[in-house]
Amino acid sequence: MTIDDIDFNALYKQHLIACNHYHLPPDKWDKKAPKMAENLVGKPSRYNAQLMAAMQMQPDETLLDIGCGPGTFAVPLAQHCRQVYALDYSTGMLAALAEFKHALQLDNLHLLHKSWADNWDDVPAADVVLASRSTLVDDLDDMIAKICAKAKKRVYLTSVTQRHFLDEGVFSAIGRDDVGFPTYIYLLNRLYQKGIQANLNFIETESGRFMGETYEDLLASVEFSLGALNEQEKQRLAEFYRQKQQHNEPIKHGQPKWALIWWDVA
Ligand SMILES: C[S@@+](CC[C@H](N)C(=O)[O-])C[C@H]1O[C@@H](n2cnc3c(N)ncnc32)[C@H](O)[C@@H]1O
């Protein structure tokens, strides 16, 4: 057997099903929208700065931002570029983005309510295609085909390097092992198998921080990744939270590093 015998899309799908993130419904993201709008849009971060620097967007260029969220990149880039098409399947995220569009009078920012999985015939092509932290798609081949159909000049995708977004202490606290998310290596390999030799860099982030304020926020973040906890797991998580509070220790959620996968369109 050689690496060419491995179907990285099939393997990826198996992994996504195993970690309960296959067909993730948009309302899971709707709930996160207000906090993400507050924490991400217009807020300087190492992640945002490094991705912006890598993209080198020019004032005469157009952007298709897939899984745009509340506008982390769509908002600043609409202030800088010719046209921005911001696509997301979460109405909550698009509502947050619409508020920025309205407040900043961004007439060149166009909101597209669509999923990666929908028909994209009416999605405009753009000079640059971006999918930042929104590449846990159901089907890598479909994603690659859509990106290739829409990108005129350059593509930038970011993907996870670590299998968990949760503080590792959570797993020992609640007594669960979890397969975690499929990392960037599936996507990089599948691109290669599709004839795209993409570049790979890494984006270092501030050490991850749990952005919530209460135990209920922590529970919501854990259940977002792992599905519903049973009563015993909830009690153990509450004790973990109490200990962290008592010792004034941070809860380290997040990805310390993201993979940046990018290529020039030939
Ligand atoms: C972690 S947020 C990233 C937001 C923004 N791109 C950023 O980097 O800050 C992921 C976004 O992808 C969107 N998303 C997830 N799955 C999607 C899908 N299948 N189709 C379209 N958007 C999706 C979510 O609604 C959410 O807004």
Side-chain angles (χ1 to χ4, degrees), residues 19-216:
C19 75
N20 293 320
H21 263 249
Y22 197 67
H23 286 326
L24 195 70
D27 60 326
K28 279 205 143 193
W29 287 104
D30 292 344
K31 294 183 198 126
K32 285 178 163 261
K35 197 142 252 163
M36 282 178 57
E38 195 184 312
N39 288 321
L40 297 178
V41 184
K43 301 285 154 64
S45 74
R46 287 178 73 189
Y47 179 89
N48 292 3
Q50 288 169 79
L51 185 48
M52 285 289 230
M55 289 172 69
Q56 302 242 345
M57 288 294 299
Q58 303 301 311
D60 63 340
E61 287 184 322
T62 58
L63 172 75
L64 172 60
D65 180 4
I66 307 162
C68 59
T72 320
F73 295 95
V75 168
L77 287 172
Q79 292 168 305
H80 174 70
C81 303
R82 192 151 61 85
Q83 301 290 342
V84 172
Y85 306 101
L87 182 153
D88 206 290
Y89 77 159
S90 155
T91 48
M93 293 291 177
L94 291 178
L97 178 55
E99 283 185 27
F100 289 110
K101 173 180 161 79
H102 180 72
L104 300 168
Q105 300 187 341
L106 299 172
D107 296 334
N108 62 340
L109 173 58
H110 311 280
L111 278 52
L112 306 174
H113 184 216
K114 267 200 192 284
S115 164
W116 271 113
D118 289 339
N119 179 304
W120 275 27
D121 286 351
D122 57 350
V123 173
D127 295 320
V128 175
V129 167
L130 167 69
S132 159
R133 301 183 281 208
S134 55
T135 52
L136 276 177
V137 295
D138 289 344
D139 186 314
L140 293 179
D141 287 1
D142 183 56
M143 167 174 119
I144 293 167
K146 281 179 167 134
I147 290 170
C148 289
K150 300 301 172 188
K152 293 193 221 170
K153 292 187 185 172
R154 305 186 299 284
V155 177
Y156 300 88
L157 312 174
T158 66
S159 176
V160 297
T161 59
Q162 295 204 340
R163 62 192 185 122
H164 293 131
F165 280 88
L166 301 175
D167 188 307
E168 285 292 334
V170 166
F171 295 93
S172 41
I174 67 172
R176 260 211 215 186
D177 195 14
D178 184 81
V179 59
F181 297 110
T183 66
Y184 74 96
I185 205 69
Y186 290 92
L187 174 56
L188 193 68
N189 278 304
R190 195 57 182 167
L191 284 166
Y192 172 81
Q193 289 184 327
K194 292 273 168 191
I196 298 171
Q197 293 201 325
N199 301 286
L200 174 66
N201 300 106
F202 293 96
I203 295 180
E204 310 271 345
T205 67
E206 291 89 358
S207 60
R209 283 267 168 151
F210 160 57
M211 289 198 254
E213 281 131 37
T214 62
Y215 163 70
E216 283 69 30

Side-chain angles (χ1 to χ4, degrees), residues 222-262:
V222 171
E223 291 193 324
F224 183 87
S225 282
L226 302 183
L229 300 194
N230 63 35
E231 277 316 308
Q232 193 186 31
E233 288 172 329
K234 283 185 190 169
Q235 280 171 21
R236 288 175 167 179
L237 185 69
E239 178 56 21
F240 169 80
Y241 180 73
R242 205 181 59 74
Q243 292 283 337
K244 288 284 186 190
Q245 292 287 94
Q246 198 176 336
H247 298 108
N248 205 17
E249 285 173 5
I251 297 174
K252 291 186 180 160
H253 279 3
Q255 293 279 319
K257 238 162 104 159
W258 285 85
L260 170 61
I261 295 174
W262 63 277

